[in-house]
Amino acid sequence: MDSSQEMPLFIFLSHDVDWPRHGPGIDHIMARKERFDDDIIKRVINEGYNPYFGIPELMDAEDSLDMRSTFFFRPVYDDGTDVGCYSDVIKELLSEGWEIGVHLNDVSSANSIRAQKEKIEEVSGRTYGCRVHYLRIKADDYRKIRDAGFLYDSSLKKFRDRIELEDMGHYMIDGVTVFPVAIMDAYLFTYMNVKEEKVINLFNDAINRAIKGGKNVITVLWHDSSIKMRGGRAYKKVLEFLASRQDLAIVRGVDLLRRV
């Protein structure tokens, strides 16, 4: 790290687990089959394979570079399956140093948020951070998140179609430390129309802009469901690029909370 720089730029790596262990079902996958290579679709048809379950691949990619991240799990999934379907996965993540956060389905009240937190904690033990599903958060939700016992949130994102300094760094809102999402896989390949081979260039540009703009945090959201998709497959190369830079520190949300 450059001696003139007092502190590295923190890269908060995070993942939202949007689907239950068994995935969204074959009809959903086949309606989006263009997202996957042909060999994966063959496995879906012939074996009932679920390509949306990408946690093992994320763990392997990060572990190979001695990195750790935060996984946000939903208390209950859309088909009614609860987080218990991931109990063994969560225990493995925790035992190997990853962090577990809560991917909130409902922020209508502090009681609802607290109940969801407790649901995850039945499996994981204490949680410190949350992210609202679909990033659907409003200004008055932070007070409820605070009252439910969370110390940090990572749901804020102002821009979908570009990466801006306003979506970097951190904020304090109603007693909650907020890490806005700067880079999200789903937006890269939809609103921003970034080609897979250009993802590293985008990260490089974002990091250089953050340093020049005096920002201390870039929060990255990469869904486990995208790791086998076109575009999402770039994650391992992203990690290798991040590891190649000496001016960065890769952190979990709870680590970042302590540092900022």
Side-chain angles (χ1 to χ4, degrees):
M1 183 175 66
D2 190 331
S3 61
S4 66
Q5 194 176 343
E6 294 182 0
M7 186 177 295
L9 172 66
F10 294 108
I11 306 295
F12 172 20
L13 292 180
S14 67
H15 313 288
D16 291 355
V17 182
D18 284 345
W19 300 95
R21 183 80 167 264
H22 51 267
I26 190 169
D27 290 342
H28 177 101
I29 296 168
M30 294 305 294
R32 296 157 180 82
K33 63 182 181 180
E34 73 282 352
R35 297 179 180 179
F36 300 96
D37 286 341
D38 290 343
D39 60 330
I40 289 180
I41 294 303
K42 287 179 182 177
R43 291 189 64 190
V44 172
I45 295 170
N46 296 331
E47 306 170 21
Y49 174 66
N50 171 26
Y52 279 53
F53 178 51
I55 297 175
E57 287 77 9
L58 291 173
M59 292 175 68
D60 287 346
E62 292 174 4
D63 189 55
S64 69
L65 295 165
D66 197 25
M67 296 177 178
R68 291 298 184 267
S69 60
T70 301
F71 284 81
F72 294 95
F73 287 85
R74 296 173 68 186
V76 179
Y77 290 91
D78 290 343
D79 65 355
T81 303
D82 71 27
V83 70
C85 69
Y86 283 113
S87 60
D88 60 331
V89 174
I90 289 173
K91 289 174 183 176
E92 181 181 3
L93 285 165
L94 289 170
S95 70
E96 298 297 329
W98 280 271
E99 181 192 10
I100 303 301
V102 183
H103 200 23
L104 294 168
N105 292 318
D106 171 34
V107 290
S108 60
S109 70
N111 285 339
S112 174
I113 295 170
R114 188 178 298 109
Q116 293 170 82
K117 186 175 189 288
E118 291 172 352
K119 183 72 173 176
I120 297 293
E121 289 177 341
E122 290 175 4
V123 179
S124 71
R126 186 177 180 187
T127 58
Y128 299 92
C130 63
R131 177 177 287 141
V132 182
H133 196 34
Y134 293 120
L135 306 184
R136 290 174 176 166
I137 194 163
K138 304 184 296 296
D140 61 356
D141 292 331
Y142 293 104
R143 173 183 49 79
K144 293 176 281 187
I145 286 171
R146 177 201 66 203
D147 292 347
F150 285 110
L151 300 182
Y152 78 86
D153 175 79
S154 184
S155 308
L156 183 65
K157 184 159 182 60
K158 297 181 179 180
F159 301 96
R160 294 181 176 182
D161 60 348
R162 59 193 187 276
I163 296 173
E164 295 287 352
L165 291 178
E166 291 171 81
D167 281 336
M168 300 180 187
H170 69 285
Y171 304 94
M172 183 65 72
I173 304 177
D174 285 340
V176 178
T177 303
V178 176
F179 303 118
V181 177
I183 301 175
M184 176 163 64
D185 53 355
Y187 289 175
L188 293 185
F189 307 119
T190 55
Y191 296 104
M192 295 179 65
N193 197 30
V194 176
K195 302 300 182 186
E196 186 173 330
E197 61 272 16
K198 298 294 185 181
V199 170
I200 301 304
N201 292 340
L202 180 141
F203 269 81
N204 187 59
D205 290 345
I207 289 166
N208 292 338
R209 287 186 61 200
I211 293 172
K212 184 176 180 181
K215 294 294 185 178
N216 61 344
V217 180
I218 289 179
T219 297
V220 177
L221 164 52
W222 211 274
H223 293 78
D224 81 302
S225 57
S226 78
I227 193 69
K228 300 183 187 78
M229 293 182 185
R230 295 188 173 107
R233 302 173 302 191
Y235 186 66
K236 179 63 181 296
K237 292 181 179 178
V238 167
L239 297 184
E240 291 170 348
F241 166 71
L242 296 176
S244 75
R245 293 194 56 145
Q246 301 302 306
D247 51 354
L248 308 177
I250 310 302
V251 294
R252 308 169 301 169
V254 67
D255 305 321
L256 191 53
L257 183 67
R258 294 165 182 156
R259 298 296 294 271
V260 303

